[in-house]
Amino acid sequence: AYLMLNNKQTNELELTVARNWDRENIADSEAVFSRSIVSQALKEGQAILATNAQADDRFQNAKSVVSNSLRSILCIPLTLQGRVIGALYADNRITQDVFRREQIPLLTAFGTQAAIAIENARQFGAVKNDLENALTELKSLQIELDRGHVEKQVSQITESDYFQRLASQASDMRRRGADKPSETE
């Protein structure tokens, strides 16, 4: 079974999760499925069911069906507000009639709920990234505000009469120290 999702940047369908009948993950390089059936389901926006794909006239020209000896196939497009965001695909190479037509409404409803959950997760991720960017910018602005506040406070201190008197006294002391002959002379 495979879950494929549209990549929003490339608008290409990408394999997201692949599992075998033992529920073990399948590496992308080992994934074998009928791309023509997935494409047809996405194009039509309808579930495709084949109880015996080897004998199904619709798939006689599908090389992957023939070369991989696919028997039972089910492909359900994941749609959200009329927009296809991916597909659920399952096949069985050994047994025919694994999937039944009466399962399609339930699996389509599941696919719709999955599409909603996937889109919500994507939007949450986008909002999270936006929030992280906003927090970074806020910290930067806070540093600038703090720096500006410190500079203002330093300016207020250095412009005060008290500081001006201290600066004048320090200057006088330095001048007197420079005017005194050194002890080594």
Side-chain angles (χ1 to χ4, degrees), residues 40 44 46-53 56 58-59 72-76 96-109:
Q40 183 178 345
E44 295 174 2
Q46 298 288 326
I48 293 180
L49 172 71
T51 56
N52 183 358
D56 195 319
R58 298 176 295 172
F59 311 120
S72 295
I73 300 173
L74 177 65
C75 184
I76 297 176
Q96 59 188 33
D97 293 324
V98 171
F99 309 110
R100 304 271 179 206
R101 185 148 307 283
E102 53 272 4
Q103 294 172 318
I104 290 177
L106 176 64
L107 292 172
T108 300

mmCIF file of all heavy atoms in Angstrom, residues 40 44 46-53 56 58-59 72-76 96-109:
data_model
loop_
_atom_site.group_PDB
_atom_site.id
_atom_site.type_symbol
_atom_site.label_atom_id
_atom_site.label_comp_id
_atom_site.label_asym_id
_atom_site.label_seq_id
_atom_site.Cartn_x
_atom_site.Cartn_y
_atom_site.Cartn_z
ATOM 1 N N GLN A 40 -4.410 7.674 -13.926
ATOM 2 C CA GLN A 40 -5.797 7.608 -14.399
ATOM 3 C C GLN A 40 -6.767 7.986 -13.268
ATOM 4 O O GLN A 40 -7.718 8.744 -13.491
ATOM 5 C CB GLN A 40 -6.117 6.204 -14.910
ATOM 6 C CG GLN A 40 -7.512 6.055 -15.478
ATOM 7 C CD GLN A 40 -7.778 4.645 -16.012
ATOM 8 O OE1 GLN A 40 -6.853 3.862 -16.219
ATOM 9 N NE2 GLN A 40 -9.034 4.337 -16.221
ATOM 10 N N GLU A 44 -9.154 11.259 -13.561
ATOM 11 C CA GLU A 44 -10.611 11.113 -13.514
ATOM 12 C C GLU A 44 -11.203 11.594 -12.195
ATOM 13 O O GLU A 44 -12.393 11.866 -12.108
ATOM 14 C CB GLU A 44 -10.998 9.645 -13.745
ATOM 15 C CG GLU A 44 -10.644 9.140 -15.124
ATOM 16 C CD GLU A 44 -10.895 7.637 -15.286
ATOM 17 O OE1 GLU A 44 -11.377 6.987 -14.333
ATOM 18 O OE2 GLU A 44 -10.593 7.123 -16.385
ATOM 19 N N GLN A 46 -11.614 9.749 -9.681
ATOM 20 C CA GLN A 46 -12.458 8.631 -9.249
ATOM 21 C C GLN A 46 -11.578 7.466 -8.797
ATOM 22 O O GLN A 46 -10.488 7.267 -9.311
ATOM 23 C CB GLN A 46 -13.341 8.142 -10.409
ATOM 24 C CG GLN A 46 -14.311 9.153 -10.946
ATOM 25 C CD GLN A 46 -15.463 9.401 -9.976
ATOM 26 O OE1 GLN A 46 -15.906 8.497 -9.279
ATOM 27 N NE2 GLN A 46 -15.932 10.640 -9.931
ATOM 28 N N ALA A 47 -12.124 6.698 -7.863
ATOM 29 C CA ALA A 47 -11.433 5.481 -7.425
ATOM 30 C C ALA A 47 -11.384 4.480 -8.572
ATOM 31 O O ALA A 47 -12.300 4.413 -9.389
ATOM 32 C CB ALA A 47 -12.155 4.878 -6.230
ATOM 33 N N ILE A 48 -10.299 3.745 -8.625
ATOM 34 C CA ILE A 48 -10.151 2.676 -9.619
ATOM 35 C C ILE A 48 -9.996 1.371 -8.864
ATOM 36 O O ILE A 48 -9.184 1.261 -7.939
ATOM 37 C CB ILE A 48 -8.944 2.926 -10.533
ATOM 38 C CG1 ILE A 48 -9.222 4.147 -11.395
ATOM 39 C CG2 ILE A 48 -8.649 1.697 -11.382
ATOM 40 C CD1 ILE A 48 -8.105 4.501 -12.345
ATOM 41 N N LEU A 49 -10.791 0.388 -9.288
ATOM 42 C CA LEU A 49 -10.759 -0.929 -8.674
ATOM 43 C C LEU A 49 -10.575 -1.966 -9.770
ATOM 44 O O LEU A 49 -11.234 -1.917 -10.803
ATOM 45 C CB LEU A 49 -12.085 -1.205 -7.943
ATOM 46 C CG LEU A 49 -12.295 -2.612 -7.407
ATOM 47 C CD1 LEU A 49 -11.388 -2.872 -6.215
ATOM 48 C CD2 LEU A 49 -13.744 -2.812 -7.015
ATOM 49 N N ALA A 50 -9.647 -2.874 -9.538
ATOM 50 C CA ALA A 50 -9.471 -4.011 -10.456
ATOM 51 C C ALA A 50 -9.418 -5.262 -9.595
ATOM 52 O O ALA A 50 -8.564 -5.383 -8.712
ATOM 53 C CB ALA A 50 -8.192 -3.862 -11.257
ATOM 54 N N THR A 51 -10.349 -6.170 -9.835
ATOM 55 C CA THR A 51 -10.355 -7.416 -9.064
ATOM 56 C C THR A 51 -9.377 -8.431 -9.639
ATOM 57 O O THR A 51 -8.873 -9.279 -8.923
ATOM 58 C CB THR A 51 -11.780 -8.020 -9.006
ATOM 59 O OG1 THR A 51 -12.246 -8.206 -10.341
ATOM 60 C CG2 THR A 51 -12.715 -7.107 -8.238
ATOM 61 N N ASN A 52 -9.112 -8.318 -10.962
ATOM 62 C CA ASN A 52 -8.089 -9.135 -11.613
ATOM 63 C C ASN A 52 -7.504 -8.287 -12.748
ATOM 64 O O ASN A 52 -7.969 -8.349 -13.882
ATOM 65 C CB ASN A 52 -8.654 -10.443 -12.154
ATOM 66 C CG ASN A 52 -7.562 -11.321 -12.754
ATOM 67 O OD1 ASN A 52 -6.387 -10.940 -12.797
ATOM 68 N ND2 ASN A 52 -7.949 -12.486 -13.230
ATOM 69 N N ALA A 53 -6.513 -7.501 -12.417
ATOM 70 C CA ALA A 53 -5.940 -6.554 -13.382
ATOM 71 C C ALA A 53 -5.355 -7.253 -14.601
ATOM 72 O O ALA A 53 -5.343 -6.686 -15.692
ATOM 73 C CB ALA A 53 -4.877 -5.694 -12.706
ATOM 74 N N ASP A 56 -8.207 -7.575 -16.933
ATOM 75 C CA ASP A 56 -9.001 -6.355 -17.115
ATOM 76 C C ASP A 56 -8.556 -5.637 -18.388
ATOM 77 O O ASP A 56 -7.386 -5.242 -18.512
ATOM 78 C CB ASP A 56 -8.824 -5.453 -15.892
ATOM 79 C CG ASP A 56 -9.852 -4.354 -15.805
ATOM 80 O OD1 ASP A 56 -10.183 -3.751 -16.846
ATOM 81 O OD2 ASP A 56 -10.318 -4.083 -14.680
ATOM 82 N N ARG A 58 -9.023 -2.725 -19.367
ATOM 83 C CA ARG A 58 -8.568 -1.337 -19.144
ATOM 84 C C ARG A 58 -7.061 -1.255 -18.945
ATOM 85 O O ARG A 58 -6.452 -0.218 -19.193
ATOM 86 C CB ARG A 58 -9.245 -0.727 -17.903
ATOM 87 C CG ARG A 58 -10.740 -0.611 -17.982
ATOM 88 C CD ARG A 58 -11.306 -0.090 -16.675
ATOM 89 N NE ARG A 58 -11.068 -1.061 -15.590
ATOM 90 C CZ ARG A 58 -11.309 -0.829 -14.300
ATOM 91 N NH1 ARG A 58 -11.777 0.357 -13.924
ATOM 92 N NH2 ARG A 58 -11.086 -1.746 -13.400
ATOM 93 N N PHE A 59 -6.435 -2.328 -18.520
ATOM 94 C CA PHE A 59 -5.023 -2.279 -18.141
ATOM 95 C C PHE A 59 -4.118 -3.151 -19.006
ATOM 96 O O PHE A 59 -2.967 -3.383 -18.651
ATOM 97 C CB PHE A 59 -4.871 -2.658 -16.665
ATOM 98 C CG PHE A 59 -5.810 -1.919 -15.772
ATOM 99 C CD1 PHE A 59 -6.732 -2.596 -14.999
ATOM 100 C CD2 PHE A 59 -5.814 -0.529 -15.731
ATOM 101 C CE1 PHE A 59 -7.615 -1.912 -14.177
ATOM 102 C CE2 PHE A 59 -6.694 0.163 -14.922
ATOM 103 C CZ PHE A 59 -7.602 -0.529 -14.148
ATOM 104 N N SER A 72 -5.109 -7.759 -7.801
ATOM 105 C CA SER A 72 -6.076 -6.843 -7.190
ATOM 106 C C SER A 72 -5.431 -5.471 -7.039
ATOM 107 O O SER A 72 -4.314 -5.359 -6.519
ATOM 108 C CB SER A 72 -6.490 -7.353 -5.812
ATOM 109 O OG SER A 72 -7.191 -8.569 -5.928
ATOM 110 N N ILE A 73 -6.152 -4.435 -7.488
ATOM 111 C CA ILE A 73 -5.629 -3.066 -7.399
ATOM 112 C C ILE A 73 -6.760 -2.154 -6.938
ATOM 113 O O ILE A 73 -7.892 -2.275 -7.403
ATOM 114 C CB ILE A 73 -5.100 -2.563 -8.751
ATOM 115 C CG1 ILE A 73 -3.975 -3.462 -9.254
ATOM 116 C CG2 ILE A 73 -4.629 -1.114 -8.638
ATOM 117 C CD1 ILE A 73 -3.518 -3.132 -10.671
ATOM 118 N N LEU A 74 -6.406 -1.242 -6.040
ATOM 119 C CA LEU A 74 -7.333 -0.205 -5.608
ATOM 120 C C LEU A 74 -6.553 1.099 -5.519
ATOM 121 O O LEU A 74 -5.492 1.144 -4.889
ATOM 122 C CB LEU A 74 -7.943 -0.537 -4.248
ATOM 123 C CG LEU A 74 -8.886 0.496 -3.654
ATOM 124 C CD1 LEU A 74 -10.144 0.643 -4.508
ATOM 125 C CD2 LEU A 74 -9.267 0.117 -2.228
ATOM 126 N N CYS A 75 -7.073 2.134 -6.166
ATOM 127 C CA CYS A 75 -6.430 3.442 -6.107
ATOM 128 C C CYS A 75 -7.514 4.486 -5.858
ATOM 129 O O CYS A 75 -8.483 4.570 -6.602
ATOM 130 C CB CYS A 75 -5.676 3.746 -7.397
ATOM 131 S SG CYS A 75 -4.760 5.310 -7.302
ATOM 132 N N ILE A 76 -7.336 5.257 -4.798
ATOM 133 C CA ILE A 76 -8.315 6.275 -4.425
ATOM 134 C C ILE A 76 -7.624 7.630 -4.414
ATOM 135 O O ILE A 76 -6.646 7.830 -3.681
ATOM 136 C CB ILE A 76 -8.904 5.979 -3.036
ATOM 137 C CG1 ILE A 76 -9.642 4.653 -3.092
ATOM 138 C CG2 ILE A 76 -9.812 7.110 -2.573
ATOM 139 C CD1 ILE A 76 -10.179 4.180 -1.798
ATOM 140 N N GLN A 96 -6.569 -12.418 -6.380
ATOM 141 C CA GLN A 96 -7.516 -11.511 -7.018
ATOM 142 C C GLN A 96 -8.726 -11.353 -6.094
ATOM 143 O O GLN A 96 -8.877 -12.103 -5.135
ATOM 144 C CB GLN A 96 -7.923 -12.000 -8.403
ATOM 145 C CG GLN A 96 -8.562 -13.361 -8.451
ATOM 146 C CD GLN A 96 -8.743 -13.824 -9.888
ATOM 147 O OE1 GLN A 96 -7.933 -13.506 -10.762
ATOM 148 N NE2 GLN A 96 -9.790 -14.574 -10.132
ATOM 149 N N ASP A 97 -9.526 -10.360 -6.363
ATOM 150 C CA ASP A 97 -10.720 -10.050 -5.564
ATOM 151 C C ASP A 97 -10.404 -9.678 -4.116
ATOM 152 O O ASP A 97 -11.218 -9.913 -3.225
ATOM 153 C CB ASP A 97 -11.724 -11.223 -5.562
ATOM 154 C CG ASP A 97 -12.335 -11.445 -6.932
ATOM 155 O OD1 ASP A 97 -12.565 -10.451 -7.639
ATOM 156 O OD2 ASP A 97 -12.577 -12.618 -7.285
ATOM 157 N N VAL A 98 -9.228 -9.107 -3.846
ATOM 158 C CA VAL A 98 -8.891 -8.666 -2.494
ATOM 159 C C VAL A 98 -9.753 -7.459 -2.123
ATOM 160 O O VAL A 98 -10.225 -7.337 -0.988
ATOM 161 C CB VAL A 98 -7.390 -8.318 -2.367
ATOM 162 C CG1 VAL A 98 -7.078 -7.662 -1.035
ATOM 163 C CG2 VAL A 98 -6.557 -9.576 -2.558
ATOM 164 N N PHE A 99 -9.978 -6.581 -3.080
ATOM 165 C CA PHE A 99 -10.764 -5.368 -2.849
ATOM 166 C C PHE A 99 -12.138 -5.535 -3.482
ATOM 167 O O PHE A 99 -12.284 -6.148 -4.534
ATOM 168 C CB PHE A 99 -10.044 -4.151 -3.441
ATOM 169 C CG PHE A 99 -8.605 -4.054 -3.012
ATOM 170 C CD1 PHE A 99 -7.575 -4.283 -3.921
ATOM 171 C CD2 PHE A 99 -8.268 -3.769 -1.702
ATOM 172 C CE1 PHE A 99 -6.251 -4.208 -3.535
ATOM 173 C CE2 PHE A 99 -6.944 -3.700 -1.305
ATOM 174 C CZ PHE A 99 -5.928 -3.916 -2.220
ATOM 175 N N ARG A 100 -13.146 -4.932 -2.852
ATOM 176 C CA ARG A 100 -14.531 -5.037 -3.320
ATOM 177 C C ARG A 100 -15.091 -3.661 -3.628
ATOM 178 O O ARG A 100 -14.752 -2.680 -2.982
ATOM 179 C CB ARG A 100 -15.408 -5.703 -2.247
ATOM 180 C CG ARG A 100 -14.941 -7.045 -1.802
ATOM 181 C CD ARG A 100 -15.530 -8.077 -2.666
ATOM 182 N NE ARG A 100 -15.040 -9.400 -2.240
ATOM 183 C CZ ARG A 100 -14.974 -10.387 -3.036
ATOM 184 N NH1 ARG A 100 -15.336 -10.262 -4.280
ATOM 185 N NH2 ARG A 100 -14.537 -11.554 -2.618
ATOM 186 N N ARG A 101 -15.963 -3.634 -4.617
ATOM 187 C CA ARG A 101 -16.601 -2.381 -5.033
ATOM 188 C C ARG A 101 -17.329 -1.713 -3.861
ATOM 189 O O ARG A 101 -17.314 -0.502 -3.729
ATOM 190 C CB ARG A 101 -17.563 -2.630 -6.192
ATOM 191 C CG ARG A 101 -18.158 -1.355 -6.726
ATOM 192 C CD ARG A 101 -18.463 -1.362 -8.189
ATOM 193 N NE ARG A 101 -17.414 -1.725 -9.112
ATOM 194 C CZ ARG A 101 -16.404 -0.940 -9.497
ATOM 195 N NH1 ARG A 101 -16.290 0.258 -9.000
ATOM 196 N NH2 ARG A 101 -15.525 -1.356 -10.368
ATOM 197 N N GLU A 102 -17.957 -2.486 -2.992
ATOM 198 C CA GLU A 102 -18.702 -1.899 -1.867
ATOM 199 C C GLU A 102 -17.782 -1.236 -0.840
ATOM 200 O O GLU A 102 -18.241 -0.477 0.010
ATOM 201 C CB GLU A 102 -19.625 -2.929 -1.204
ATOM 202 C CG GLU A 102 -18.998 -4.223 -0.766
ATOM 203 C CD GLU A 102 -18.978 -5.304 -1.855
ATOM 204 O OE1 GLU A 102 -19.382 -5.067 -3.003
ATOM 205 O OE2 GLU A 102 -18.518 -6.400 -1.535
ATOM 206 N N GLN A 103 -16.478 -1.467 -0.929
ATOM 207 C CA GLN A 103 -15.514 -0.814 -0.039
ATOM 208 C C GLN A 103 -15.173 0.608 -0.506
ATOM 209 O O GLN A 103 -14.673 1.408 0.280
ATOM 210 C CB GLN A 103 -14.217 -1.630 0.036
ATOM 211 C CG GLN A 103 -14.371 -2.986 0.675
ATOM 212 C CD GLN A 103 -13.109 -3.821 0.536
ATOM 213 O OE1 GLN A 103 -12.477 -3.845 -0.514
ATOM 214 N NE2 GLN A 103 -12.762 -4.541 1.604
ATOM 215 N N ILE A 104 -15.433 0.896 -1.761
ATOM 216 C CA ILE A 104 -15.019 2.184 -2.335
ATOM 217 C C ILE A 104 -15.618 3.386 -1.605
ATOM 218 O O ILE A 104 -14.876 4.316 -1.263
ATOM 219 C CB ILE A 104 -15.286 2.226 -3.852
ATOM 220 C CG1 ILE A 104 -14.317 1.270 -4.546
ATOM 221 C CG2 ILE A 104 -15.125 3.649 -4.403
ATOM 222 C CD1 ILE A 104 -14.511 1.146 -6.039
ATOM 223 N N PRO A 105 -16.942 3.429 -1.310
ATOM 224 C CA PRO A 105 -17.464 4.617 -0.610
ATOM 225 C C PRO A 105 -16.788 4.858 0.745
ATOM 226 O O PRO A 105 -16.435 5.995 1.071
ATOM 227 C CB PRO A 105 -18.955 4.314 -0.438
ATOM 228 C CG PRO A 105 -19.274 3.357 -1.537
ATOM 229 C CD PRO A 105 -18.030 2.527 -1.708
ATOM 230 N N LEU A 106 -16.590 3.788 1.512
ATOM 231 C CA LEU A 106 -15.942 3.935 2.804
ATOM 232 C C LEU A 106 -14.488 4.390 2.637
ATOM 233 O O LEU A 106 -14.031 5.304 3.324
ATOM 234 C CB LEU A 106 -15.988 2.620 3.588
ATOM 235 C CG LEU A 106 -15.254 2.632 4.932
ATOM 236 C CD1 LEU A 106 -15.912 3.613 5.890
ATOM 237 C CD2 LEU A 106 -15.216 1.236 5.517
ATOM 238 N N LEU A 107 -13.778 3.777 1.715
ATOM 239 C CA LEU A 107 -12.381 4.145 1.496
ATOM 240 C C LEU A 107 -12.256 5.547 0.898
ATOM 241 O O LEU A 107 -11.299 6.272 1.203
ATOM 242 C CB LEU A 107 -11.686 3.106 0.614
ATOM 243 C CG LEU A 107 -11.510 1.734 1.280
ATOM 244 C CD1 LEU A 107 -10.996 0.723 0.280
ATOM 245 C CD2 LEU A 107 -10.586 1.834 2.485
ATOM 246 N N THR A 108 -13.217 5.949 0.072
ATOM 247 C CA THR A 108 -13.214 7.313 -0.468
ATOM 248 C C THR A 108 -13.452 8.314 0.658
ATOM 249 O O THR A 108 -12.788 9.357 0.713
ATOM 250 C CB THR A 108 -14.273 7.457 -1.580
ATOM 251 O OG1 THR A 108 -13.963 6.522 -2.621
ATOM 252 C CG2 THR A 108 -14.284 8.860 -2.149
ATOM 253 N N ALA A 109 -14.389 7.993 1.558
ATOM 254 C CA ALA A 109 -14.630 8.871 2.719
ATOM 255 C C ALA A 109 -13.371 8.945 3.585
ATOM 256 O O ALA A 109 -12.989 10.025 4.049
ATOM 257 C CB ALA A 109 -15.814 8.360 3.530
#
